[in-house]
Amino acid sequence: MIKFHRQFDPHSIKLLIFDLDGTLIDSRLDLVHSVNAMLRHFARPELPDEVVASYVGDGAPVLVRRALGDRKDEKFLKEALDYFLAYYRIHKLDHTHVYEGIRESLAAIQGSNGVQRKMAVLSNKPVHPSRAIVEALGLGQFFIHVYGGNSFPTKKPDPEGARSLLKETKTRAQDAAIIGDSSVDVLTGRNAGMWTCGVTYGFAPHTLCEAPPDVVLDKPHELTELFA
């Protein structure tokens, strides 16, 4: 169901910025397995899938820090992060897939009659695996840019990445929307002055009550209903 909290005209939107994990792709298992491989390597107890998934959204360094219990030993954290990233680089596509309905929605939005609309990805996942996953899963054709958590000096919810996309596409903030599954994405959009769209099928729908988006979607195919 599409539910508006703040009314706007979706067809006036010229730039759509998508989160990646939990929004376009279900990468839960590969992230869980990579985190638990890192924990095993350092002789730490593994974590349940749902716990690891709840840690996703603020970038790999924060994910690793949370999984280790927010340790303060920076040297150890770097070793753990390096191990996690190396393992994930190899296993990032073992189980990761596009959510059902996403590909069709992106094609419908891209092909909307009479609307000059651009789409981009802004993730807190490192940029190289982000781009590799987007290309491997056949989504690259839809996006003018794919940016990750290390593409800019700051990560979401800092608006730097979103503002860079606005500038690069010559789009006014009021003519753009960000789509994501967590409060991180909503706050990014707010901080950039953009419209915000939350999806409840992803990893962190429970966080959307912390920062309610302008519109909420329950299913990927509703992106077509809203924007196409």
Side-chain angles (χ1 to χ4, degrees), residues 29 34 53 62 69 88 119 144 146 158 179-180 219:
L29 266 183
S34 298
V62 176
Y88 185 67
M119 295 187 285
I144 56 167
V146 176
D158 188 280
I179 298 105
K219 303 289 184 184

Side-chain angles (χ1 to χ4, degrees), residues 103-120:
R103 202 182 310 275
E104 294 79 5
S105 288
L106 294 175
I109 292 167
Q110 191 177 61
S112 297
N113 291 331
V115 180
Q116 293 297 314
R117 186 177 287 136
K118 296 180 174 68
M119 295 187 285

